[in-house]
Amino acid sequence: MALRDVFLSLALSLSAPAFAQEGVTVSVRCTETCTVVFDGKRGRRVNEALWEFQGITPGARRVEATGVLGRPLASGFADIPDTALATVYLVSNQRIVVRKESTTSPGTPEWVEGTARVAPGGTEKTPSPPPPPPSTAKSVALVRCLEACTVMLDERRGTRRDERTWEFRDVEPGKRRVEGTADLLNRKLFASYVDVPAGTEATYQGDSKGRVILTKHRALADVEEARTQAGLADASRLHVRCLKSCDVTLDGARKGEEGGSGGLIQDVKPGRRELAVTFTLGKQQRRMTLDVPSRSEVFITASEGGGLQVTNTKRLGAE
């Protein structure tokens, strides 16, 4: 080939228009934080609940989605139409709804147009109802540090369960800011955002790299059911605060960490209980017999001079 032919071929290739990518661009929407695999491939995460896949061939394509900690959300087939854009909605009860991104009659709800399938072997349904709105049920968040710490969630203090664990009740679901500060030298341990699932008891662990990781979560209904089965439906909680470093025992059993500042004693059955506090320096001990009411929170302050004093009692869940 002559040299001029090479330059001519190169000029033509540079001036030729680029062709648009073939296939359908598919957006997959979940009702919560999710990870999606579409037709065996991972796409691009747009946000916590939205994924995008490009170059998808029209037809039945398999969709698999998991939630937090790999919890299965949906698994089945989506019928992808022969259009430029399509949106797949992962709804409750394993339903998968597909909607074409095309014009519809004015006033027509976007959910009217489309098809739906359940897992393989199910029947098609059209039209499909909209997905249920995200749950707004409040949650309980437990945040643990690697050492004695103070934790704030959305700039509010919770309840110290022990030297390393803090509890926050009535937490709104969604992204929440959590900060942890070491009790020793007031060092910053972590400052991050966490996703709080709705209606759950969620446990988070702060690590040595300043991250806060969700380690487990359970529906609050399941937590209450487990408590009922364990005979703790009427149990109460004791909040013990020592003015100096102390060890706490209830009915002879140690509660909390040695040499701490008190903390939260959970699942205390109602009735007469023997509470004792031994101060670390001097080993002075203060004791009291406590009549614990059912389903209540009892607040107790311990000091060497004043002994043990009940400062407040309220029903569980009361503001």
Side-chain angles (χ1 to χ4, degrees):
M1 179 183 291
L3 185 59
R4 65 182 182 85
D5 293 331
V6 174
F7 283 112
L8 178 60
S9 176
L10 179 60
L12 289 174
S13 64
L14 291 176
S15 61
F19 290 101
Q21 180 177 342
E22 295 183 354
V24 184
T25 298
V26 178
S27 298
V28 182
R29 296 181 180 272
C30 307
T31 57
E32 60 182 84
T33 299
C34 64
T35 299
V36 179
V37 176
F38 196 90
D39 214 18
K41 301 177 182 178
R42 288 188 61 149
R44 180 177 69 90
R45 182 192 288 274
V46 180
N47 57 42
E48 296 297 326
L50 176 63
W51 289 74
E52 182 180 271
F53 301 82
Q54 295 184 348
I56 301 299
T57 303
R61 298 288 170 251
R62 183 163 183 80
V63 185
E64 297 180 71
T66 54
V68 178
L69 298 182
R71 177 170 51 87
L73 295 180
S75 177
F77 287 87
D79 285 325
I80 303 303
D82 190 6
T83 58
L85 303 172
T87 301
V88 176
Y89 295 87
L90 304 183
V91 199
S92 59
N93 301 323
Q94 297 278 316
R95 289 194 298 111
I96 299 172
V97 178
V98 182
R99 181 171 67 86
K100 299 178 183 178
E101 295 292 328
S102 59
T103 58
T104 57
S105 301
T108 302
E110 62 180 20
W111 283 90
V112 170
E113 184 179 52
T115 59
R117 284 191 179 184
V118 294
T123 57
E124 294 188 358
K125 301 178 182 179
T126 181
S128 301
S135 174
T136 58
K138 294 183 179 181
S139 298
V140 174
L142 306 178
V143 184
R144 293 175 175 167
C145 307
L146 295 177
E147 59 183 281
C149 65
T150 298
V151 178
M152 305 283 284
L153 190 146
D154 282 349
E155 299 184 354
R156 71 180 177 95
R157 287 173 66 101
T159 299
R160 186 193 288 271
R161 280 197 171 186
D162 54 47
E163 296 302 301
R164 303 183 184 186
T165 308
W166 287 77
E167 174 187 295
F168 300 86
R169 306 184 71 83
D170 297 325
V171 179
E172 296 285 350
K175 282 195 177 295
R176 296 287 167 256
R177 180 171 176 79
V178 59
E179 298 179 56
T181 305
D183 289 351
L184 179 63
L185 302 179
N186 201 35
R187 304 179 339 269
K188 182 71 71 177
L189 297 177
F190 49 78
S192 181
Y193 284 89
V194 296
D195 282 311
V196 179
T200 64
E201 180 184 83
T203 302
Y204 301 88
Q205 177 69 58
D207 66 13
S208 59
K209 297 181 180 179
R211 298 173 301 185
V212 184
I213 302 170
L214 176 65
T215 57
K216 67 177 180 180
H217 65 96
R218 296 188 297 167
L220 286 177
D222 293 340
V223 175
E224 287 303 315
E225 181 179 356
R227 286 171 52 81
T228 299
Q229 292 177 351
L232 299 173
D234 293 327
S236 296
R237 296 149 58 99
L238 305 185
H239 300 259
V240 180
R241 184 173 70 93
C242 297
L243 299 185
K244 293 184 178 180
S245 178
C246 69
D247 300 332
V248 179
T249 61
L250 182 68
D251 293 337
R254 179 185 295 279
K255 301 296 179 180
E257 295 188 357
E258 183 177 355
S261 59
L264 174 64
I265 305 177
Q266 296 195 98
D267 298 331
V268 179
K269 293 185 177 181
R272 181 157 295 199
R273 299 284 174 258
E274 294 295 327
L275 180 67
V277 168
T278 302
F279 293 96
T280 304
L281 297 178
K283 298 299 181 181
Q284 293 189 39
Q285 187 178 85
R286 298 291 182 264
R287 307 176 64 91
M288 75 179 303
T289 300
L290 181 66
D291 286 317
V292 179
S294 64
R295 296 190 62 81
S296 297
E297 292 189 274
V298 182
F299 297 81
I300 302 159
T301 299
S303 65
E304 291 177 298
L308 301 178
Q309 296 183 342
V310 176
T311 58
N312 192 20
T313 301
K314 65 180 182 180
R315 298 292 293 175
L316 274 174
E319 295 295 334

